[in-house]
Amino acid sequence: MMHFVLEELLRTQSQAGEIYHEFLREDSMSVGIYQLAAGAVDGQQPHTEDEMYVVLKGSAQFCLEEENIGVKAGSILFVKAHAKHHFHSITEDLTVMVIFSPAEYSLRS
């Protein structure tokens, strides 16, 4: 069993100065914390994996292909592999748990 504490993950992420901090990697999935400040630009490109976002904190708009939706703490989003998507109009610092399945290819060694 693995056990993670969000406060500790955020502290590690902050100390490393990362906007994305991966904390779990298995062949079947990878999981990380993604943070964007209010007003930031999300430069994501489509991924080759299915992806789930769980918004832990903040407020923004999320664009999936041509559809926009408002998101806030408690929002859960599913994005199919290869779909164009990004957060925008971030009005409150955003903290999001990101789950890739299978593990995100771009980070594999």
Side-chain angles (χ1 to χ4, degrees), residues 19 34-45 86-90:
I19 63 168
Y34 188 42
Q35 292 190 302
L36 293 166
V41 174
D42 180 8
Q44 291 191 74
Q45 299 296 316
H86 67 282
F87 292 95
H88 66 94
S89 304
I90 302 167

Side-chain angles (χ1 to χ4, degrees), residues 8-54:
E8 293 171 6
L9 296 171
L10 293 172
R11 184 173 30 255
T12 299
Q13 180 179 19
S14 177
Q15 290 170 344
E18 304 168 322
I19 63 168
Y20 180 74
H21 174 69
E22 182 181 84
F23 63 90
L24 174 67
R25 174 167 286 276
E26 297 289 335
D27 290 341
S28 60
M29 71 170 47
S30 60
V31 184
I33 300 292
Y34 188 42
Q35 292 190 302
L36 293 166
V41 174
D42 180 8
Q44 291 191 74
Q45 299 296 316
H47 306 284
T48 57
E49 306 79 22
D50 287 343
E51 188 174 13
M52 174 124 355
Y53 292 101
V54 180

Side-chain angles (χ1 to χ4, degrees), residues 5 10 23 25 29 55 57 59 61 72 77 79 86 95 98 104 107:
V5 177
L10 293 172
F23 63 90
R25 174 167 286 276
M29 71 170 47
V55 179
K57 175 184 159 203
S59 180
Q61 292 287 308
K72 61 182 181 178
L77 307 160
V79 178
H86 67 282
T95 301
V98 184
E104 185 181 21
L107 296 176

